[in-house]
Amino acid sequence: MSNIVRKSIAHNVSFSNIKEERFKTVKLSVTMFVPLAKETAAAYALLPSVLVHSCKKYPTAIEFNRELSNLYGAGIGAYCRKMGEALAVTITVAGIDDRYTMNKEKISSELVEFLCEVIFNPNAENEAFAKDDFEQCKRQLLEAIDGEFNEKRSYAISQMIEEMCRDEKFGIKRYGSRKAVEELTPSGLFRAWKEILANSRVEIMFIGNSDTSSAENIFREKFGSMQRTIPDISTEVSGNVGEVKQKTEVSDVAQAKLVMGFRTGFAQPEYDSIPMSLTTAILGGTPNSKFFMNIREKLSLCYYCAARYDKLKGIVTVDSGVEKENIERTIQEVQNQLAEMQNGNITDFEIESAKLSMINSYKSALDTVSGTESWYTGQMLDNKILTVDEAVDELKKIDKNTIVELANSIKLDTIYILQPKSAEEAKV
């Protein structure tokens, strides 16, 4: 199993080396964490795709892709995701490990240099990104936003979160809003690029068996020469709920989507997230969970019913696909199954099968370079970074009393329903 060696190389910049001999490739990622805010979310969501579209040294798609081909077919990637009430903007490059180059070239060093060109020398003039690149990437982001409505399950979850956390930063979508994206300009995005380099928490990760000294030195020089500030990367966590909120929307769907949001008050970095993750898995995270075995199989109330725990916000989300006439019964049964856990009605089989499922998920995460990068990047805002073996050891120690105690902290906050139109409405 892989281990991580992490060190500070500049102000608020950490470099992590994950030595891994199993793969024939290496992967280098740079993740910049910034606070989630309505004013900046749209720019930070668009920025990574523009950065990996071209750069000053390779300003055209032909030149850019030719250089990737010259680096033994290296690949570059970029994405922006919401982690708690922070945005994580990530740029990655992956290529062949130095052990497998034809003439013993140090491709890893060239990959580092290419990634630095992308991040620090973008294709821009007069304090603005190249217009063609900007417009193409902006159009693609807008298309992706429009396409979210067609993915009814994820759309319903997003709508529930927005309703549940409308007075909290967590209610902001990762791209802010469609209108904010539409209003972006090449010069505005360039200002966002300068801002994120100077005011972000940076986590650099190198995964593979190649020498990392070159990467470490280059990034130390790049970030060390900048005037950088420390942003407030934190998430508001609350276990308090008032009157349960409910929102219903009508759409052209054949199957209703029911999403229920629960608060727990248990979240990283203050609390270890593994016990609550196990509690949620027993409730609705595995094929042997209470939701699956009772609501879906025994009572046949839904097509699926799953529970997920956000370890940085302390929220449990339950989503289900149901027939319109079964919505109220499903809501009641979700609460009944939670009450069963709160009363201690949990079998040893349920606990052990959930643990085995989580252990398998943990271990399979390291089957690829990308999975390994995701495992460790996902912990960068936690109170500690665990290897898979350490996470498994912690998981095995959790007992029934802890699970029951945590189940009693799960409190219903919001219900969101996306339901089909009635026969009369469908005719209009």
Side-chain angles (χ1 to χ4, degrees):
M1 290 294 178
S2 58
N3 290 297
I4 183 170
V5 177
R6 186 164 172 258
K7 64 176 74 171
S8 175
I9 61 171
H11 186 52
N12 212 32
V13 179
S14 296
F15 186 94
S16 297
N17 177 19
I18 297 146
K19 202 72 173 177
E20 185 56 80
E21 299 181 354
R22 293 177 300 149
F23 307 122
K24 295 182 178 180
T25 57
V26 297
K27 186 169 188 178
L28 179 65
S29 69
V30 177
T31 299
M32 293 168 278
F33 292 95
V34 292
L36 177 61
K38 289 181 180 179
E39 300 77 16
T40 56
Y44 291 146
L46 179 60
L47 181 61
S49 60
V50 175
L51 287 177
V52 301
H53 197 273
S54 63
C55 62
K56 180 72 71 175
K57 189 173 182 179
Y58 309 107
T60 68
I62 292 176
E63 292 171 303
F64 195 83
N65 290 310
R66 181 185 293 130
E67 180 59 19
L68 287 171
S69 296
N70 291 338
L71 295 173
Y72 285 81
I76 193 159
Y79 49 89
C80 173
R81 56 179 167 167
K82 188 166 74 171
M83 293 179 62
E85 292 175 353
L87 284 179
V89 177
T90 301
I91 312 293
T92 69
V93 66
I96 191 170
D97 190 282
D98 291 343
R99 294 171 294 169
Y100 300 100
T101 58
M102 295 179 64
N103 300 307
K104 305 301 180 183
E105 304 105 312
K106 294 292 184 181
I107 289 295
S108 58
S109 297
E110 295 182 52
L111 292 174
V112 174
E113 292 171 0
F114 184 82
L115 187 60
C116 285
E117 289 293 334
V118 168
I119 295 173
F120 297 103
N121 297 305
N123 186 12
E125 288 186 8
N126 301 319
E127 300 282 296
F129 279 99
K131 186 176 180 180
D132 288 347
D133 292 354
F134 171 85
E135 292 296 341
Q136 180 177 338
C137 295
K138 179 179 175 178
R139 183 174 63 254
Q140 290 171 345
L141 177 57
L142 289 171
E143 289 172 353
I145 292 171
D146 292 339
E148 286 184 355
F149 183 73
N150 296 323
E151 297 292 333
K152 300 302 184 184
R153 183 174 182 179
S154 58
Y155 170 79
I157 294 172
S158 176
Q159 291 297 97
M160 190 284 294
I161 292 293
E162 187 174 33
E163 178 68 21
M164 181 176 180
C165 304
R166 62 170 55 256
D167 297 322
E168 304 164 63
K169 291 181 180 178
F170 196 72
I172 302 171
K173 297 182 186 294
R174 69 171 184 88
Y175 52 80
S177 67
R178 193 185 196 284
K179 181 180 178 182
V181 174
E182 288 175 334
E183 294 174 349
L184 289 173
T185 64
S187 58
L189 191 65
F190 189 83
R191 289 192 296 272
W193 167 73
K194 293 172 67 176
E195 181 70 18
I196 200 171
L197 287 179
N199 301 295
S200 62
R201 173 179 162 182
V202 181
E203 295 287 347
I204 303 166
M205 194 176 302
F206 192 109
I207 305 168
N209 196 48
S210 298
D211 179 46
T212 63
S213 57
S214 175
E216 185 179 326
N217 291 333
I218 291 173
F219 282 111
R220 178 183 286 109
E221 178 183 350
K222 291 287 187 182
F223 283 108
S225 62
M226 295 180 177
Q227 292 292 326
R228 291 176 43 77
T229 59
I230 301 176
D232 179 18
I233 305 294
S234 62
T235 298
E236 177 187 353
V237 177
S238 174
N240 299 322
V241 299
E243 183 179 351
V244 176
K245 300 184 286 290
Q246 182 163 334
K247 180 178 180 179
T248 300
E249 284 190 73
V250 176
S251 181
D252 291 319
V253 292
Q255 176 193 108
K257 306 299 179 185
L258 165 67
V259 189
M260 303 169 70
F262 299 79
R263 294 188 188 270
T264 71
F266 287 85
Q268 291 279 13
E270 185 175 356
Y271 296 98
D272 183 3
S273 63
I274 294 179
M276 184 59 80
S277 295
L278 175 60
T279 303
T280 306
I282 295 169
L283 185 64
T286 75
N288 292 308
S289 67
K290 287 188 175 295
F291 287 168
F292 188 90
M293 296 302 295
N294 292 283
I295 301 177
R296 184 185 187 279
E297 295 297 296
K298 184 177 178 180
L299 299 174
S300 300
L301 288 177
C302 61
Y303 298 95
Y304 61 84
C305 189
R308 297 175 180 84
Y309 168 59
D310 189 300
K311 67 177 183 178
L312 293 173
K313 184 62 178 175
I315 285 176
V316 172
T317 302
V318 176
D319 76 301
S320 182
V322 300
E323 294 296 334
K324 186 176 180 179
E325 60 269 22
N326 289 332
I327 291 175
E328 293 303 323
R329 285 187 64 199
T330 303
I331 292 173
Q332 186 59 52
E333 195 56 38
V334 166
Q335 294 173 299
N336 289 343
Q337 293 304 317
L338 175 58
E340 286 288 301
M341 288 189 66
Q342 293 170 338
N343 293 328
N345 296 323
I346 310 169
T347 66
D348 290 341
F349 172 77
E350 288 173 324
I351 295 173
E352 290 307 311
S353 62
K355 285 184 177 181
L356 287 173
S357 178
M358 288 178 65
I359 290 170
N360 181 64
S361 177
Y362 288 171
K363 291 184 176 181
S364 64
L366 302 189
D367 287 344
T368 64
V369 176
S370 294
T372 303
E373 188 256 337
S374 181
W375 171 267
Y376 286 106
T377 300
Q379 298 184 74
M380 288 302 171
L381 299 181
D382 293 358
N383 59 344
K384 57 183 175 180
I385 297 175
L386 301 177
T387 65
V388 165
D389 289 339
E390 290 169 337
V392 169
D393 288 342
E394 286 204 9
L395 178 63
K396 289 179 177 179
K397 295 174 185 176
I398 301 169
D399 59 21
K400 180 177 176 178
N401 290 336
T402 300
I403 296 166
V404 173
E405 180 182 351
L406 290 174
N408 278 278
S409 74
I410 302 175
K411 302 172 185 176
L412 180 61
D413 183 285
T414 302
I415 298 172
Y416 171 85
I417 301 166
L418 181 67
Q419 67 182 31
K421 294 179 179 179
S422 64
E424 291 75 17
E425 290 171 323
K427 293 177 182 178
V428 178

